[in-house]
Amino acid sequence: MTAATAGPSATDRPSTTHGPPATDKPPATGGSSATDKPPATDKPPATDGAPVFDCRADFADELAVLARADDRIVAVCNDSVGSSNLAAFREEFPDRLINVGIAEQDLVGVSAGLANAGFVPFASAAAPFLTGRALEQIKADVAYSHRHVVLCGQSPGLAYGELGPTHHGIEDLSWMRAVPGLEIIVPADPAQTRAAVRRAAASGRPTYLRVPRFKVPAVTPDDAPFEPGRAVRLADGTDVTVVAVGTMVSRALDAAALLARDGISARVLNTAFVEPLDEEAVVAAARETGAVVTAEEGLLSGGLGAAVARVVAEHHPVPVRMLGVPSFAPTGGAAFLLDHFGLTAAGIADAAREALGRA
């Protein structure tokens, strides 16, 4: 399947806020389709010290680019104009932003109605509230009814830190994977965020788009594919594979660099499409490297790790070590929480060593 696009590309109007324009070259990472065979390198790429960007800005910028070219594009939010970075969109398109207030069930229901009327609604809200409070509407009004609604989960994972478990958006991938028919996209950097917005606008199907709040470096090569069911291999390796998603991708690359110092060759797969997952790349990784680590900023039960473990167990069983959040997280700063759960370069490297010890 080839990636679909809608409206002009990001190069037609570069970002004026945080994210780099699509013409900027990200750090060289040797990216390719995960099923291709790039040449091995002496040392996997690392992102330590690279500039970082807020993907919410790229989300909003690309949405405006599409809206200028397509009158069907509308934004719907739940009193979250600021946190969704939609203030500029509202100023430019005052009649195409609908604020339903703090009423997430209405947010999704109104969006489904707009889709039924021929619009392409981007329903934007904090991930824990969009996916938690409105799960029934997502299931019945969007997925079961097959409405072209783009559900935009902002500030997912542990981004809200000190606000505690009520605001931690760790369950969203588990909940959304349980709903049949949803395409689930978790971009890793500005380039993938823009590509995800274009894909979601053009796909004609219900989509969950997870928009990270943590600032991340650019990791996507210029020629990297962005297609459903297709991962991107960012580093080649023969000893262990790290399958990462979203904010964990750059940390996985740094982990690969740490492992290289110990003579361990780590493959890194960026699986921006959690549904549909690139099962072929996962099976190839298990067969060719013999051990797999998954890294996600979310609940272990039902998330990326569960999806990868099922594929490995069914097709080529090897040791799998899953990194994520095992239960409700404590209240604390976001950086503390990532470190607490081992969602760091060092933590991923330790998990890889553990997986190798069981291989």
Short mmCIF file of all heavy atoms in Angstrom, two decimals, residues 30-83:
data_model
loop_
_atom_site.label_atom_id
_atom_site.label_comp_id
_atom_site.label_asym_id
_atom_site.label_seq_id
_atom_site.Cartn_x
_atom_site.Cartn_y
_atom_site.Cartn_z
N GLY A 30 20.45 6.51 8.09
CA GLY A 30 20.45 5.30 7.29
C GLY A 30 19.10 4.64 7.19
O GLY A 30 19.00 3.42 7.25
N GLY A 31 18.03 5.43 7.14
CA GLY A 31 16.69 4.87 7.18
C GLY A 31 16.34 4.14 5.91
O GLY A 31 16.83 4.44 4.83
N SER A 32 15.44 3.17 6.05
CA SER A 32 14.96 2.42 4.90
C SER A 32 13.71 1.71 5.32
O SER A 32 13.36 1.71 6.49
CB SER A 32 16.00 1.39 4.46
OG SER A 32 16.19 0.43 5.47
N SER A 33 13.04 1.13 4.36
CA SER A 33 11.97 0.21 4.72
C SER A 33 12.57 -0.87 5.59
O SER A 33 13.69 -1.32 5.39
CB SER A 33 11.38 -0.41 3.46
OG SER A 33 10.58 -1.51 3.80
N ALA A 34 11.81 -1.29 6.61
CA ALA A 34 12.35 -2.25 7.56
C ALA A 34 12.66 -3.59 6.92
O ALA A 34 13.45 -4.36 7.46
CB ALA A 34 11.37 -2.45 8.71
N THR A 35 12.07 -3.86 5.80
CA THR A 35 12.33 -5.14 5.15
C THR A 35 13.46 -5.07 4.13
O THR A 35 13.85 -6.07 3.57
CB THR A 35 11.06 -5.66 4.46
OG1 THR A 35 10.56 -4.64 3.60
CG2 THR A 35 10.00 -6.02 5.49
N ASP A 36 13.98 -3.85 3.86
CA ASP A 36 15.15 -3.73 3.01
C ASP A 36 16.38 -4.19 3.77
O ASP A 36 16.35 -4.41 4.97
CB ASP A 36 15.35 -2.27 2.56
CG ASP A 36 14.27 -1.83 1.60
OD1 ASP A 36 13.58 -2.70 1.05
OD2 ASP A 36 14.11 -0.60 1.42
N LYS A 37 17.50 -4.26 3.09
CA LYS A 37 18.74 -4.70 3.71
C LYS A 37 19.80 -3.63 3.58
O LYS A 37 20.66 -3.69 2.71
CB LYS A 37 19.23 -5.99 3.03
CG LYS A 37 18.41 -7.20 3.36
CD LYS A 37 18.70 -7.65 4.76
CE LYS A 37 18.10 -9.01 5.03
NZ LYS A 37 18.37 -9.45 6.37
N PRO A 38 19.77 -2.59 4.43
CA PRO A 38 20.81 -1.58 4.34
C PRO A 38 22.14 -2.13 4.83
O PRO A 38 22.17 -3.06 5.62
CB PRO A 38 20.30 -0.48 5.29
CG PRO A 38 19.45 -1.21 6.28
CD PRO A 38 18.84 -2.36 5.52
N PRO A 39 23.23 -1.56 4.35
CA PRO A 39 24.53 -2.06 4.80
C PRO A 39 24.73 -1.78 6.28
O PRO A 39 24.26 -0.77 6.82
CB PRO A 39 25.52 -1.25 3.94
CG PRO A 39 24.76 -0.03 3.53
CD PRO A 39 23.34 -0.47 3.39
N ALA A 40 25.41 -2.68 6.95
CA ALA A 40 25.70 -2.49 8.36
C ALA A 40 26.68 -1.34 8.53
O ALA A 40 27.52 -1.07 7.67
CB ALA A 40 26.28 -3.77 8.95
N THR A 41 26.59 -0.66 9.67
CA THR A 41 27.51 0.43 9.96
C THR A 41 28.33 0.06 11.19
O THR A 41 27.93 -0.78 11.99
CB THR A 41 26.74 1.73 10.23
OG1 THR A 41 25.80 1.49 11.28
CG2 THR A 41 25.98 2.18 8.99
N ASP A 42 29.48 0.73 11.34
CA ASP A 42 30.32 0.42 12.48
C ASP A 42 29.67 0.85 13.78
O ASP A 42 29.85 0.24 14.81
CB ASP A 42 31.67 1.14 12.33
CG ASP A 42 32.50 0.55 11.20
OD1 ASP A 42 32.27 -0.63 10.88
OD2 ASP A 42 33.33 1.28 10.64
N LYS A 43 28.89 1.92 13.74
CA LYS A 43 28.26 2.42 14.96
C LYS A 43 26.89 2.98 14.61
O LYS A 43 26.77 3.82 13.72
CB LYS A 43 29.13 3.53 15.57
CG LYS A 43 28.57 4.09 16.88
CD LYS A 43 29.49 5.14 17.45
CE LYS A 43 28.93 5.73 18.73
NZ LYS A 43 29.78 6.78 19.28
N PRO A 44 25.84 2.51 15.27
CA PRO A 44 24.50 3.02 14.98
C PRO A 44 24.42 4.52 15.26
O PRO A 44 25.16 5.06 16.09
CB PRO A 44 23.60 2.24 15.95
CG PRO A 44 24.40 1.02 16.30
CD PRO A 44 25.82 1.45 16.27
N PRO A 45 23.52 5.21 14.57
CA PRO A 45 23.41 6.65 14.78
C PRO A 45 22.87 6.98 16.16
O PRO A 45 22.10 6.21 16.73
CB PRO A 45 22.41 7.09 13.70
CG PRO A 45 21.61 5.86 13.44
CD PRO A 45 22.55 4.71 13.62
N ALA A 46 23.27 8.09 16.71
CA ALA A 46 22.78 8.54 18.01
C ALA A 46 22.26 9.96 17.86
O ALA A 46 22.66 10.70 16.97
CB ALA A 46 23.89 8.49 19.05
N THR A 47 21.33 10.35 18.73
CA THR A 47 20.70 11.67 18.63
C THR A 47 21.11 12.59 19.77
O THR A 47 20.60 13.69 19.87
CB THR A 47 19.17 11.52 18.65
OG1 THR A 47 18.77 10.96 19.91
CG2 THR A 47 18.71 10.60 17.53
N ASP A 48 22.02 12.16 20.61
CA ASP A 48 22.42 12.95 21.76
C ASP A 48 22.96 14.31 21.32
O ASP A 48 23.85 14.39 20.49
CB ASP A 48 23.49 12.19 22.55
CG ASP A 48 23.78 12.84 23.89
OD1 ASP A 48 22.86 13.43 24.48
OD2 ASP A 48 24.94 12.76 24.35
N GLY A 49 22.39 15.39 21.86
CA GLY A 49 22.83 16.74 21.53
C GLY A 49 22.16 17.35 20.32
O GLY A 49 22.41 18.51 20.00
N ALA A 50 21.30 16.62 19.63
CA ALA A 50 20.62 17.15 18.45
C ALA A 50 19.52 18.13 18.87
O ALA A 50 18.98 18.03 19.96
CB ALA A 50 20.03 16.01 17.62
N PRO A 51 19.17 19.09 18.02
CA PRO A 51 18.05 20.00 18.33
C PRO A 51 16.76 19.20 18.52
O PRO A 51 16.57 18.16 17.90
CB PRO A 51 17.97 20.90 17.09
CG PRO A 51 19.27 20.75 16.40
CD PRO A 51 19.77 19.38 16.71
N VAL A 52 15.88 19.72 19.37
CA VAL A 52 14.61 19.03 19.61
C VAL A 52 13.45 19.95 19.25
O VAL A 52 13.58 21.18 19.26
CB VAL A 52 14.49 18.57 21.08
CG1 VAL A 52 15.49 17.47 21.38
CG2 VAL A 52 14.68 19.74 22.05
N PHE A 53 12.30 19.34 18.93
CA PHE A 53 11.16 20.07 18.40
C PHE A 53 9.86 19.60 19.04
O PHE A 53 9.75 18.46 19.48
CB PHE A 53 11.08 19.87 16.88
CG PHE A 53 12.36 20.16 16.16
CD1 PHE A 53 13.26 19.16 15.87
CD2 PHE A 53 12.68 21.47 15.79
CE1 PHE A 53 14.45 19.42 15.21
CE2 PHE A 53 13.86 21.75 15.14
CZ PHE A 53 14.75 20.73 14.85
N ASP A 54 8.89 20.51 19.07
CA ASP A 54 7.56 20.23 19.60
C ASP A 54 6.66 19.80 18.44
O ASP A 54 6.29 20.62 17.59
CB ASP A 54 7.00 21.48 20.29
CG ASP A 54 5.67 21.23 20.99
OD1 ASP A 54 5.03 20.20 20.71
OD2 ASP A 54 5.27 22.07 21.81
N CYS A 55 6.29 18.54 18.39
CA CYS A 55 5.51 18.02 17.26
C CYS A 55 4.10 18.58 17.22
O CYS A 55 3.44 18.53 16.17
CB CYS A 55 5.45 16.49 17.33
SG CYS A 55 7.04 15.70 17.00
N ARG A 56 3.60 19.13 18.33
CA ARG A 56 2.27 19.74 18.31
C ARG A 56 2.24 20.94 17.37
O ARG A 56 1.22 21.21 16.73
CB ARG A 56 1.86 20.16 19.72
CG ARG A 56 1.68 19.01 20.69
CD ARG A 56 1.39 19.51 22.10
NE ARG A 56 2.48 20.34 22.59
CZ ARG A 56 2.41 21.10 23.67
NH1 ARG A 56 1.30 21.14 24.38
NH2 ARG A 56 3.45 21.81 24.06
N ALA A 57 3.36 21.65 17.28
CA ALA A 57 3.43 22.78 16.37
C ALA A 57 3.37 22.30 14.92
O ALA A 57 2.69 22.91 14.09
CB ALA A 57 4.71 23.58 16.62
N ASP A 58 4.05 21.22 14.63
CA ASP A 58 4.02 20.68 13.26
C ASP A 58 2.66 20.12 12.92
O ASP A 58 2.19 20.23 11.78
CB ASP A 58 5.11 19.62 13.11
CG ASP A 58 6.49 20.22 13.19
OD1 ASP A 58 7.01 20.70 12.17
OD2 ASP A 58 7.06 20.26 14.31
N PHE A 59 2.00 19.51 13.90
CA PHE A 59 0.63 19.05 13.70
C PHE A 59 -0.28 20.20 13.29
O PHE A 59 -1.01 20.13 12.28
CB PHE A 59 0.11 18.41 15.00
CG PHE A 59 -1.38 18.33 15.10
CD1 PHE A 59 -2.10 17.34 14.45
CD2 PHE A 59 -2.10 19.26 15.86
CE1 PHE A 59 -3.48 17.27 14.54
CE2 PHE A 59 -3.47 19.21 15.96
CZ PHE A 59 -4.18 18.21 15.29
N ALA A 60 -0.22 21.29 14.03
CA ALA A 60 -1.10 22.43 13.75
C ALA A 60 -0.74 23.11 12.44
O ALA A 60 -1.62 23.51 11.66
CB ALA A 60 -1.01 23.43 14.90
N ASP A 61 0.55 23.23 12.16
CA ASP A 61 0.98 23.87 10.91
C ASP A 61 0.51 23.07 9.69
O ASP A 61 0.00 23.63 8.73
CB ASP A 61 2.51 23.99 10.88
CG ASP A 61 3.03 25.09 11.79
OD1 ASP A 61 2.21 25.86 12.31
OD2 ASP A 61 4.25 25.16 11.98
N GLU A 62 0.69 21.76 9.75
CA GLU A 62 0.31 20.93 8.60
C GLU A 62 -1.21 20.89 8.44
O GLU A 62 -1.71 20.86 7.30
CB GLU A 62 0.87 19.52 8.75
CG GLU A 62 0.80 18.69 7.49
CD GLU A 62 1.66 19.24 6.36
OE1 GLU A 62 2.61 20.01 6.63
OE2 GLU A 62 1.39 18.89 5.19
N LEU A 63 -1.93 20.92 9.54
CA LEU A 63 -3.39 20.95 9.45
C LEU A 63 -3.84 22.23 8.74
O LEU A 63 -4.76 22.19 7.90
CB LEU A 63 -4.00 20.88 10.85
CG LEU A 63 -5.52 20.78 10.92
CD1 LEU A 63 -6.02 19.52 10.24
CD2 LEU A 63 -5.98 20.82 12.39
N ALA A 64 -3.19 23.35 9.04
CA ALA A 64 -3.53 24.60 8.35
C ALA A 64 -3.18 24.54 6.87
O ALA A 64 -3.92 25.04 6.02
CB ALA A 64 -2.81 25.77 9.03
N VAL A 65 -2.05 23.92 6.55
CA VAL A 65 -1.68 23.75 5.14
C VAL A 65 -2.77 23.00 4.39
O VAL A 65 -3.21 23.41 3.29
CB VAL A 65 -0.33 22.99 5.02
CG1 VAL A 65 -0.07 22.57 3.57
CG2 VAL A 65 0.82 23.85 5.52
N LEU A 66 -3.26 21.92 4.96
CA LEU A 66 -4.30 21.13 4.32
C LEU A 66 -5.62 21.90 4.24
O LEU A 66 -6.34 21.81 3.25
CB LEU A 66 -4.51 19.82 5.07
CG LEU A 66 -3.32 18.86 5.14
CD1 LEU A 66 -3.72 17.57 5.84
CD2 LEU A 66 -2.79 18.55 3.76
N ALA A 67 -5.92 22.65 5.29
CA ALA A 67 -7.18 23.39 5.32
C ALA A 67 -7.23 24.48 4.25
O ALA A 67 -8.30 24.79 3.72
CB ALA A 67 -7.39 24.02 6.70
N ARG A 68 -6.08 25.06 3.91
CA ARG A 68 -6.05 26.07 2.85
C ARG A 68 -6.39 25.46 1.50
O ARG A 68 -6.90 26.15 0.61
CB ARG A 68 -4.67 26.73 2.80
CG ARG A 68 -4.34 27.54 4.04
CD ARG A 68 -2.99 28.23 3.95
NE ARG A 68 -2.62 28.71 5.28
CZ ARG A 68 -1.64 28.21 6.01
NH1 ARG A 68 -0.88 27.22 5.52
NH2 ARG A 68 -1.38 28.67 7.22
N ALA A 69 -6.10 24.18 1.35
CA ALA A 69 -6.33 23.52 0.06
C ALA A 69 -7.64 22.74 0.01
O ALA A 69 -8.09 22.37 -1.07
CB ALA A 69 -5.17 22.57 -0.24
N ASP A 70 -8.24 22.50 1.17
CA ASP A 70 -9.42 21.63 1.23
C ASP A 70 -10.42 22.20 2.23
O ASP A 70 -10.19 22.16 3.44
CB ASP A 70 -9.00 20.21 1.64
CG ASP A 70 -10.11 19.19 1.53
OD1 ASP A 70 -11.29 19.59 1.43
OD2 ASP A 70 -9.82 17.98 1.57
N ASP A 71 -11.52 22.71 1.73
CA ASP A 71 -12.53 23.32 2.59
C ASP A 71 -13.23 22.33 3.50
O ASP A 71 -13.95 22.74 4.43
CB ASP A 71 -13.59 24.03 1.73
CG ASP A 71 -13.05 25.26 1.02
OD1 ASP A 71 -12.01 25.78 1.48
OD2 ASP A 71 -13.65 25.68 0.01
N ARG A 72 -13.04 21.04 3.28
CA ARG A 72 -13.69 20.05 4.13
C ARG A 72 -12.99 19.88 5.47
O ARG A 72 -13.57 19.36 6.43
CB ARG A 72 -13.72 18.69 3.42
CG ARG A 72 -14.48 18.65 2.10
CD ARG A 72 -14.31 17.27 1.46
NE ARG A 72 -12.89 16.97 1.28
CZ ARG A 72 -12.39 15.72 1.28
NH1 ARG A 72 -13.20 14.68 1.46
NH2 ARG A 72 -11.09 15.54 1.10
N ILE A 73 -11.73 20.32 5.55
CA ILE A 73 -10.95 20.15 6.79
C ILE A 73 -11.48 21.07 7.87
O ILE A 73 -11.55 22.29 7.70
CB ILE A 73 -9.46 20.44 6.54
CG1 ILE A 73 -8.89 19.54 5.45
CG2 ILE A 73 -8.67 20.32 7.85
CD1 ILE A 73 -8.70 18.11 5.85
N VAL A 74 -11.87 20.49 9.01
CA VAL A 74 -12.31 21.27 10.16
C VAL A 74 -11.61 20.73 11.41
O VAL A 74 -11.20 19.56 11.45
CB VAL A 74 -13.85 21.22 10.35
CG1 VAL A 74 -14.56 21.88 9.18
CG2 VAL A 74 -14.32 19.78 10.52
N ALA A 75 -11.50 21.57 12.42
CA ALA A 75 -10.93 21.16 13.71
C ALA A 75 -12.03 21.23 14.76
O ALA A 75 -12.83 22.17 14.79
CB ALA A 75 -9.77 22.07 14.09
N VAL A 76 -12.07 20.22 15.62
CA VAL A 76 -13.04 20.17 16.71
C VAL A 76 -12.24 19.94 17.99
O VAL A 76 -11.37 19.06 18.03
CB VAL A 76 -14.06 19.03 16.51
CG1 VAL A 76 -15.20 19.16 17.52
CG2 VAL A 76 -14.60 19.02 15.09
N CYS A 77 -12.51 20.72 19.02
CA CYS A 77 -11.73 20.57 20.24
C CYS A 77 -12.63 20.68 21.47
O CYS A 77 -13.80 21.03 21.38
CB CYS A 77 -10.59 21.59 20.31
SG CYS A 77 -11.13 23.29 20.51
N ASN A 78 -12.06 20.38 22.62
CA ASN A 78 -12.80 20.35 23.88
C ASN A 78 -12.24 21.39 24.84
O ASN A 78 -11.76 21.06 25.92
CB ASN A 78 -12.71 18.96 24.51
CG ASN A 78 -11.28 18.60 24.88
OD1 ASN A 78 -10.33 19.07 24.26
ND2 ASN A 78 -11.11 17.78 25.90
N ASP A 79 -12.32 22.65 24.46
CA ASP A 79 -11.75 23.73 25.26
C ASP A 79 -10.23 23.57 25.35
O ASP A 79 -9.62 23.88 26.38
CB ASP A 79 -12.37 23.76 26.65
CG ASP A 79 -12.23 25.14 27.32
OD1 ASP A 79 -12.10 26.13 26.58
OD2 ASP A 79 -12.25 25.22 28.56
N SER A 80 -9.62 23.04 24.27
CA SER A 80 -8.19 22.75 24.27
C SER A 80 -7.48 23.45 23.12
O SER A 80 -6.54 22.91 22.55
CB SER A 80 -7.98 21.23 24.16
OG SER A 80 -8.60 20.73 22.99
N VAL A 81 -7.93 24.65 22.78
CA VAL A 81 -7.32 25.37 21.67
C VAL A 81 -5.83 25.59 21.93
O VAL A 81 -4.99 25.40 21.05
CB VAL A 81 -8.03 26.72 21.43
CG1 VAL A 81 -7.28 27.56 20.40
CG2 VAL A 81 -9.47 26.48 20.98
N GLY A 82 -5.50 25.98 23.15
CA GLY A 82 -4.10 26.25 23.48
C GLY A 82 -3.24 25.00 23.48
O GLY A 82 -2.20 24.95 22.81
N SER A 83 -3.67 23.97 24.21
CA SER A 83 -2.85 22.76 24.31
C SER A 83 -2.78 21.99 23.01
O SER A 83 -1.87 21.19 22.80
CB SER A 83 -3.38 21.86 25.43
OG SER A 83 -4.71 21.46 25.16
#
